[in-house]
Amino acid sequence: MVPRYSRPEMSALWTPAARFAIWFEIEAHATEALADLGIVPKSAADALWRWWATSPAIDVAAIDAIEAVTKHDVIAFLTWVAGQVGDDARFMHQGMTSSDVLDTCLAVQLARAADILLADLDALLAVLERRAREHKRTPTIGRSHGIHAEPVTFGLKLAQAYAEFARNRARLVAARADIATCAISGAVGTFANIDPAVEAHVAAKMGLRVEPVSTQVIPRDRHAMFFATLGVIASSIERLATEVRHLQRTEVLEAEEYFAPGQKGSSAMPHKRNPVLTENLTGLARMVRGYVTPALENVALWHERDISHSSVERYIAPDATITLDFALARLTGVIDKLLVYPERMQRNMDKMGGLIHSQRVLLALTQAGVNREDAYRMVQRNAMKVWDSDGALSLLDLLKADADVAAALPADDIDAMFDLGHHLKHIDTIFARVFGSA
């Protein structure tokens, strides 16, 4: 966890104090259920909740000091609580194993982290929709392989991003549901020393579902899918960030990150306005994706459990969620304040002498009865002259002067093939598919 790339709400979820608080709730709810079953005295559960309602903050340092001796974090926690609550605390953890606490706690933390990330995605989607509608009919050149292709609109670029992040939101909802399971099944998961009703009670109280079949741990395919989903979201962040970076290049300059008063782009060159935020997002996306492989490797544990997954998850759970939370918020800010230059977009479209309309002429020639190969050859030989002139020549003028083209198409028909509006005629249809018909 790097403070520079952390936000308070998500970071607070992963503090030791927050973790111990969840541990206590799990243990107290389990004791409560055991009391309902008549296995432990009701006074034991009451004593735990009474202490919790009046207790000062959890003493993390004291628990750490006990762990330094016991070499076991859950035992250290139980020992410290017992010292605070007194004799009634001996009924805590009856029939449970450490993983019941650890895995259920992690499920709670990941579900809560997902809720924060879903709120982040909602904020991003709102900004993407607003800016997409703002530039719904702002024409710009579409590029394939980085080369001018045919016109699109800047709003369409943002609508594509909206649709992608909407899919990511649905994926995260599914991943949250998958990860939010509770296991209070005891050693090796057989419920030999604890009733399944305890698990059901704890699950209901903690906002989880019961794990249908656990070993001594919750199966790690759930976690693998969760972190894989975070990796996909990170890749979508990088895709949009890379688009902005390309558009901000000096030779393109169709859009750029907001440059605040007093901001400086370079320690050496005062003229620089660099895409530092989107470059940062590219790096953060790499980090989040980097946590996916360890999560996948955690799936293959030995028999009913080992702890090879434990150290991995202590790293990747806080780091991946905190980093992605920060990245989503940063991307939202970038799109919200993005500077867009329609005039530069138009100049760039006009730069190559009308080459962007070549396909329409090709299709018109085939419709006029010209063999496709011949039609392609006619258009290409004129297009290459424009290309070699760096746009100084006009494809429209060359086509009109080409005897073969003129024999197949009247001049007015050729003129009609250079209508920019033709490329934008279905923008409303696409927007309705993405945002609905409103």
Side-chain angles (χ1 to χ4, degrees):
M1 181 174 67
V2 179
R4 184 182 183 91
Y5 304 128
S6 305
R7 300 206 304 161
E9 184 182 11
M10 185 68 86
S11 298
L13 180 58
W14 298 105
T15 62
R19 181 176 73 254
F20 290 140
I22 297 170
W23 286 10
F24 179 84
E25 291 181 53
I26 293 167
E27 294 280 6
H29 285 310
T31 306
E32 189 176 69
L34 288 166
D36 290 341
L37 292 169
I39 296 170
V40 304
K42 187 175 184 303
S43 60
D46 291 342
L48 289 172
W49 287 120
R50 189 165 52 250
W51 170 77
W52 185 245
T54 59
S55 67
I58 290 175
D59 193 339
V60 174
I63 297 171
D64 288 345
I66 298 170
E67 185 184 353
V69 177
T70 64
K71 312 301 183 187
H72 195 291
D73 52 357
V74 174
I75 291 175
F77 171 75
L78 293 171
T79 301
W80 179 79
V81 173
Q84 310 303 307
V85 175
D87 186 59
D88 283 314
R90 65 193 170 93
F91 295 106
M92 288 175 66
H93 207 69
Q94 291 239 342
M96 295 170 62
T97 187
S98 297
S99 291
D100 291 338
V101 181
L102 297 171
D103 277 12
T104 300
C105 175
L106 181 57
V108 171
Q109 288 176 300
L110 291 176
R112 292 176 182 175
D115 290 338
I116 295 171
L117 295 173
L118 286 167
D120 294 340
L121 284 166
D122 287 340
L124 175 58
L125 287 166
V127 168
L128 284 169
E129 180 174 2
R130 177 173 60 80
R131 298 307 305 266
R133 292 188 182 278
E134 177 187 349
H135 291 286
K136 179 178 181 179
R137 297 196 172 276
T138 301
T140 189
I141 189 61
R143 297 173 173 89
S144 55
H145 307 278
I147 308 300
H148 281 204
E150 292 189 349
V152 296
T153 74
F154 192 69
L156 184 58
K157 286 177 178 281
L158 296 177
Q160 291 167 345
Y162 178 97
E164 183 173 351
F165 280 103
R167 292 191 296 274
N168 283 327
R169 190 188 192 286
R171 292 177 184 123
L172 185 56
V173 168
R176 185 202 185 283
D178 210 33
I179 200 66
T181 64
C182 168
I184 308 290
S185 52
V188 301
T190 61
F191 296 101
N193 297 298
I194 193 164
D195 194 290
V198 176
E199 181 182 68
H201 179 80
V202 174
K205 291 294 186 179
M206 302 303 293
L208 305 173
R209 294 175 295 108
V210 297
E211 179 60 50
V213 53
S214 55
T215 55
Q216 193 162 311
V217 294
I218 291 173
R220 256 47 195 179
D221 62 289
R222 296 183 181 278
H223 303 72
M225 181 55 71
F226 185 87
F227 289 103
T229 299
L230 302 192
V232 173
I233 296 171
S235 292
S236 295
I237 290 172
E238 183 176 10
R239 189 193 74 79
L240 186 51
T242 300
E243 179 73 15
V244 173
R245 291 171 62 193
H246 280 307
L247 295 179
Q248 187 164 338
R249 286 178 298 139
T250 306
E251 295 80 3
V252 179
L253 202 56
E254 295 176 356
E256 67 172 335
E257 295 175 10
Y258 175 73
F259 197 80
Q263 183 175 342
K264 293 177 172 60
S266 167
S267 63
M269 296 167 283
H271 73 277
K272 295 295 291 294
R273 289 163 63 125
N274 300 329
V276 292
L277 299 179
T278 46
E279 288 174 343
N280 170 254
L281 287 171
T282 299
L284 295 178
R286 293 171 185 165
M287 294 305 300
V288 175
R289 282 197 304 272
Y291 302 127
V292 176
T293 297
L296 293 170
E297 293 174 343
N298 275 353
V299 174
L301 302 179
W302 284 20
H303 305 300
E304 279 60 54
R305 84 156 297 191
D306 64 50
I307 65 165
S308 60
H309 64 92
S310 177
S311 56
V312 173
E313 289 166 356
R314 289 174 192 261
Y315 275 104
I316 70 174
D319 282 9
T321 55
I322 288 171
T323 303
L324 189 60
D325 170 55
F326 180 89
L328 285 167
R330 170 154 286 183
L331 181 60
T332 299
V334 168
I335 300 303
D336 182 46
K337 293 185 175 182
L338 189 69
L339 303 175
V340 181
Y341 304 121
E343 297 84 2
R344 183 60 176 256
M345 292 176 180
Q346 186 64 53
R347 285 205 305 273
N348 285 344
M349 273 195 299
D350 295 340
K351 182 178 180 181
M352 293 303 289
L355 291 182
I356 59 178
H357 301 289
S358 69
Q359 181 182 191
R360 288 206 70 204
V361 180
L362 167 66
L363 296 177
L365 286 169
T366 61
Q367 290 290 318
V370 180
N371 174 279
R372 182 179 175 86
E373 287 301 312
D374 291 338
Y376 196 103
R377 197 159 34 245
M378 292 178 196
V379 177
Q380 188 182 46
R381 71 190 178 207
N382 289 288
M384 291 304 99
K385 293 176 184 177
V386 178
W387 185 281
D388 291 339
S389 76
D390 197 24
L393 298 176
S394 162
L395 180 62
L396 177 60
D397 292 342
L398 290 175
L399 290 170
K400 286 181 176 180
D402 187 301
D404 292 333
V405 175
L409 291 175
D412 288 347
D413 288 358
I414 299 175
D415 285 333
M417 297 302 103
F418 285 72
D419 173 26
L420 180 62
H422 172 84
H423 297 276
L424 313 183
K425 64 184 179 181
H426 293 303
I427 295 297
D428 286 340
T429 299
I430 299 172
F431 266 62
R433 289 178 174 180
V434 174
F435 301 113
S437 57

